[in-house]
Amino acid sequence: MPRLRKAAGELPGNLFGEPEDDRSALADGMDGARPLADRMRPRTFDEFVGQEKIAGPRRALRKMIEEDRLQSLIFWGPPGTGKTTLARLIAERTAARFIQFSAVSSGIREVREVMSEADAFRRKTGRRTVVFIDEIHRFNKAQQDAFLPYVERGTIILIGATTENPSFEVNSALLSRSKVFVLEPLTADHLIAISRRAIEDSERGIGNAGVEASDDMLRAIAVYASGDARVALNTLELAAAVAEPASSGARILTKEILTEAMQRAAIRYDKAGEEHFNLISAFIKSIRNSDPDAAVYWLARMLESGEDPLYVARRLVVHASEDIGLADPMAMVEAVSAFQAAHFIGLPEAKLSLTQATLYLALAPKSNSVLETYGAAQRDALETEREPVPLHLRNATTGLMKGLGYGDGYKYAHSFEEGRAQDMECLPEGLRGRKYYKPNPRDKSGK
């Protein structure tokens, strides 16, 4: 069996026994060994900071929780924005039995056992079970499918938390039966308020440690945390530990102490997740719009977050044809050269090669005639009759082929003064006269 937990304590040994009434124990924060971020987890909506659009007074989610009118929910948002906290606030208020487990450590057997227990519990007590699944995107299709019949029958209320786009990571059938709430990264002001509360809280925070931090220092932590309350509090806790008490006994957080605590900016990035595609999309669209500053910024965001430089280089090669093409054929040379440089020398030096190519492509004139030309030809290749190659365009490599007329009527372009046999058709009969290439005024080779 998985290690199932109520949001506020262990489930009793008797499956159908009433849950022990110790829900406040989970968030009491009395255990100093627990990380500050866990100790400071909000226990009530009054302590909850951020997500005003969904959890503010009279907002849909908050009313749903306060009135105990739950339905299956998906919380989608970046790390440290309150997904698990909202689930625990639900656990505090709901009359339903509450079970929590992680998709990281549970398999299909555990899922089925939980569902079986929930079914038996409802038959015995008439009460439903709220099942909170952290990182639901880590469950595969079979595991997610196991929940579906129980959600449809109303046996369970499913609450899933995910950092990934549920459109891609949650089964459509399960998604259609759930309400999706999107959580946004916390603002710097949110994180400053959270950090300030931790500094002043003597019960669960570090109020007894004598920590002093200016708003500027807390804002530096907030910028570093990039919208993640967990990162902000963990950084604050480490900085407080690093700071030596002054003669007054206060631990004053300075720029030097924060630099030591931070070590390296925590830029959020998942090369397999949605943010990967969001950043490369912003990068290419900035180049397409001839905005070199934005293009280099998005390039730096990717590279400093650990993106594969060869992936970026490949996208530059694609862009050189797709959005520049004949407007500046040298763009392809620059892009391929950047790819080769990235392959030969690697990081960190390859950052400069990729920056050079990015700037060149962003500043180059733009034309999508290559893309449009192939697209038009592709449609005819797929949607029209597959006519045979005209005989005059075929090579007569054997006597039999020559006897069948292969090559008859072919006109050698270099035999003509203008370098082209004007009256020789090179398309199949059914596509005679078709024009795929429509020159862009910026095409240097257009005719």
Side-chain angles (χ1 to χ4, degrees):
M1 280 290 293
R3 189 166 174 76
L4 304 176
R5 297 181 301 278
K6 281 178 61 283
E10 293 293 327
L11 286 171
N14 177 3
L15 175 62
F16 302 117
E18 288 302 308
E20 297 173 6
D21 190 17
D22 62 347
R23 296 187 177 206
S24 61
L26 185 104
D28 275 346
M30 300 303 293
D31 182 2
R34 291 161 54 208
L36 179 63
D38 189 45
R39 303 199 309 269
M40 291 302 299
R41 192 182 294 279
R43 297 169 294 187
T44 66
F45 271 115
D46 290 338
E47 295 180 355
F48 191 83
V49 177
Q51 311 307 335
E52 291 85 359
K53 292 180 181 179
I54 63 172
R58 296 182 296 280
R59 293 292 185 173
L61 177 62
R62 184 160 176 174
K63 289 179 64 178
M64 188 183 300
I65 295 173
E66 290 179 338
E67 297 171 10
D68 200 9
R69 296 185 293 102
L70 291 178
Q71 65 179 85
S72 291
L73 307 171
I74 301 292
F75 293 141
W76 170 32
T81 53
K83 299 184 295 296
T84 302
T85 294
L86 286 172
R88 293 186 177 191
L89 290 176
I90 290 173
E92 293 290 331
R93 306 188 70 98
T94 183
R97 175 171 169 262
F98 192 93
I99 292 178
Q100 172 184 346
F101 64 99
S102 172
V104 175
S105 57
S106 302
I108 188 65
R109 180 179 62 84
E110 289 86 356
V111 169
R112 288 172 176 160
E113 288 176 352
V114 170
M115 295 302 97
S116 178
E117 288 181 4
D119 208 11
F121 183 77
R122 190 178 191 196
R123 287 197 305 270
K124 181 175 178 64
T125 67
R127 293 167 55 197
R128 293 194 291 178
T129 297
V130 175
V131 178
F132 173 59
I133 308 168
D134 196 16
E135 299 190 83
I136 192 173
H137 59 274
R138 293 182 180 270
F139 271 154
N140 60 34
K141 184 178 185 300
Q143 290 168 320
Q144 292 184 28
D145 282 344
F147 292 107
L148 190 57
Y150 299 92
V151 171
E152 289 180 329
R153 292 200 300 266
T155 302
I156 68 166
I157 298 169
L158 178 68
I159 301 177
T162 178
T163 57
E164 303 296 331
N165 190 328
S167 300
F168 307 130
E169 305 295 339
V170 179
N171 288 358
S172 56
L174 201 57
L175 193 61
S176 68
R177 292 162 176 80
S178 305
K179 173 69 175 174
V180 177
F181 285 100
V182 180
L183 282 70
E184 299 175 348
L186 299 178
T187 67
D189 288 340
H190 289 147
L191 296 178
I192 290 171
I194 291 170
S195 298
R196 181 65 68 191
R197 178 184 293 168
I199 289 174
E200 297 172 353
D201 191 323
S202 299
E203 178 189 358
R204 297 183 293 150
I206 53 176
N208 295 325
V211 175
E212 295 182 7
S214 67
D215 285 345
D216 286 344
M217 292 301 99
L218 294 186
R219 185 166 294 277
I221 291 176
V223 170
Y224 163 78
S226 299
D228 188 327
R230 187 180 297 106
V231 170
L233 289 173
N234 288 343
T235 303
L236 174 63
E237 185 174 33
L238 179 57
V242 169
E244 292 291 338
S247 57
S248 63
R251 297 176 183 268
I252 302 174
L253 301 192
T254 64
K255 183 177 179 181
E256 290 73 24
I257 288 172
L258 289 187
T259 299
E260 183 178 350
M262 292 174 184
Q263 296 294 315
R264 177 180 174 85
I267 302 175
R268 182 181 303 112
Y269 194 64
D270 179 358
K271 289 189 285 185
E274 184 191 6
E275 191 70 357
H276 163 80
F277 298 104
N278 289 342
L279 288 180
I280 196 65
S281 175
F283 175 61
I284 292 301
K285 288 174 181 174
S286 297
I287 296 176
R288 181 179 295 140
N289 202 46
S290 299
D291 188 335
D293 301 299
V296 171
Y297 168 75
W298 295 119
L299 173 67
R301 277 279 297 272
M302 289 188 289
L303 294 180
E304 296 306 317
S305 301
E307 181 58 86
D308 180 1
L310 293 181
Y311 171 77
V312 177
R314 286 192 294 269
R315 295 307 305 167
L316 288 171
V317 173
V318 172
H319 175 74
S321 290
E322 180 178 343
D323 289 300
I324 298 172
L326 297 179
D328 185 353
M330 280 299 296
M332 176 64 78
V333 177
E334 282 283 344
V336 172
S337 295
F339 179 88
Q340 292 175 330
H343 178 68
F344 289 149
I345 65 177
L347 294 177
E349 292 86 352
K351 294 176 182 178
L352 299 182
S353 303
L354 294 173
T355 299
Q356 177 179 329
T358 296
L359 290 173
Y360 189 98
L361 269 60
L363 296 170
K366 303 300 189 292
S367 170
N368 68 344
S369 63
V370 171
L371 176 68
E372 294 292 330
T373 298
Y374 184 78
Q378 180 188 44
R379 286 190 292 275
D380 274 351
L382 294 174
E383 298 172 6
T384 63
E385 183 180 350
R386 303 294 180 88
E387 296 184 64
V389 174
L391 287 174
H392 64 277
L393 296 180
R394 303 186 192 187
N395 283 333
T397 56
T398 68
L400 174 62
M401 291 176 173
K402 187 172 180 63
L404 293 174
Y406 282 38
D408 287 355
Y410 173 69
K411 298 177 181 179
Y412 187 54
H414 297 288
S415 299
F416 298 84
E417 184 176 351
E418 62 271 33
R420 180 186 180 190
Q422 297 283 354
D423 59 348
M424 184 174 70
E425 181 61 58
C426 294
L427 282 168
E429 183 67 29
L431 296 175
R432 280 180 177 268
R434 186 82 86 208
K435 298 295 182 184
Y436 299 118
Y437 174 55
K438 298 177 181 178
N440 186 295
R442 293 180 290 276
D443 283 358
K444 292 182 179 179
S445 300
K447 295 182 180 180

